[in-house]
Amino acid sequence: MKVGLMGGTFDPIHYGHLLAAETAREACGLNEVWFIPSFVPPLKDHQPGADGEARLEMVYRAIDFQPHFRAMDIELERGGTSYSIDTVEALQQLYPGREFSYIIGSDRVNDLAKWHQIEKLAGLVHFIGVERPGEKIDVSSLPAYIRERLTVIDMPLIDISSTAIRQRRAAGKSVRFLVPDKVYSFMRRNALYES
């Protein structure tokens, strides 16, 4: 069984995340995509605006009724800094026989060489790089051991980011149609990202 892993803060999850997951699933023949909200992201300079429980709940709401998508709380349960290598090793123990691939946006692909224990991680998973609007993947700058484990795919252009959604909410602007309806309702009901 081929499983794509999508890590991130999902602060909040939005249609760009869902489109990237579905595009990777289809392009790379994945059976499922597992969304894994991080507890503390190692390469981000800010802490999530919503707590882990709220971010996980938004993921559940966003993928509701999608038969190929699952939410996993493994990093939230573990706590601490969410290193991908720890997550993959734990998932391999829990789900033997699965072939894992990490689905990552172009900004993260270009940072891959900085990931914690990247050489070990590259030996355990494949990487699926999803090119985002205005951010090309510079494959030539990556070490050979990453390049040979990387598949780059194009996805339809959709320029949505969690940062922009948080900024719009803080400014009192609508984020309807940037996130699934159930996520939008949850954010409003819980006053998430309001200033």
Side-chain angles (χ1 to χ4, degrees):
M1 179 183 232
K2 295 172 74 174
V3 176
L5 305 176
M6 270 193 86
T9 53
F10 300 115
D11 190 31
I13 190 168
H14 55 69
Y15 280 122
H17 295 125
L18 300 172
L19 183 58
E22 182 66 4
T23 302
R25 188 186 69 77
E26 190 173 62
C28 297
L30 303 174
N31 299 98
E32 293 184 339
V33 175
W34 297 355
F35 292 79
I36 306 172
S38 58
F39 187 74
V40 176
L43 291 177
K44 293 226 176 178
D45 56 4
H46 70 278
Q47 293 303 307
D51 66 28
E53 188 177 316
R55 291 183 290 114
L56 181 64
E57 182 62 28
M58 287 187 283
V59 170
Y60 279 125
R61 288 166 183 267
I63 66 172
D64 199 18
F65 302 116
Q66 303 303 319
H68 303 290
F69 291 172
R70 287 178 64 182
M72 304 293 282
D73 65 357
I74 188 167
E75 291 185 356
L76 296 173
E77 287 290 317
R78 187 172 61 236
T81 302
S82 299
Y83 292 117
S84 299
I85 185 66
D86 298 334
T87 301
V88 168
E89 288 179 333
L91 289 174
Q92 286 180 329
Q93 290 280 322
L94 292 167
Y95 303 97
R98 306 283 200 299
E99 180 183 324
F100 292 110
S101 296
Y102 249 98
I103 303 167
I104 46 181
S106 43
D107 55 339
R108 293 290 143 220
V109 174
N110 293 330
D111 286 345
L112 265 175
K114 299 176 188 172
W115 283 29
H116 183 66
Q117 296 186 25
I118 185 58
E119 289 187 59
K120 186 176 181 184
L121 181 63
L124 300 178
V125 300
H126 288 84
F127 298 102
I128 302 170
V130 180
E131 286 205 319
R132 294 166 63 166
E135 288 188 77
K136 294 301 269 182
I137 295 174
D138 184 10
V139 176
S140 65
S141 71
L142 296 170
Y145 67 87
I146 293 176
R147 284 197 310 266
E148 59 198 31
R149 305 283 289 177
L150 173 66
T151 301
V152 177
I153 62 171
D154 292 320
M155 77 176 231
L157 295 183
I158 181 169
D159 194 9
I160 302 173
S161 74
S162 296
T163 301
I165 291 169
R166 290 192 305 271
Q167 289 169 345
R168 289 183 66 82
R169 290 279 297 157
K173 295 180 179 176
S174 175
V175 297
R176 176 168 248 150
F177 309 119
L178 297 177
V179 297
D181 286 342
K182 290 181 179 183
V183 173
Y184 177 72
S185 298
F186 183 83
M187 284 192 304
R188 288 193 54 182
R189 188 167 52 256
N190 292 281
L192 293 179
Y193 316 115
E194 293 179 3
S195 56

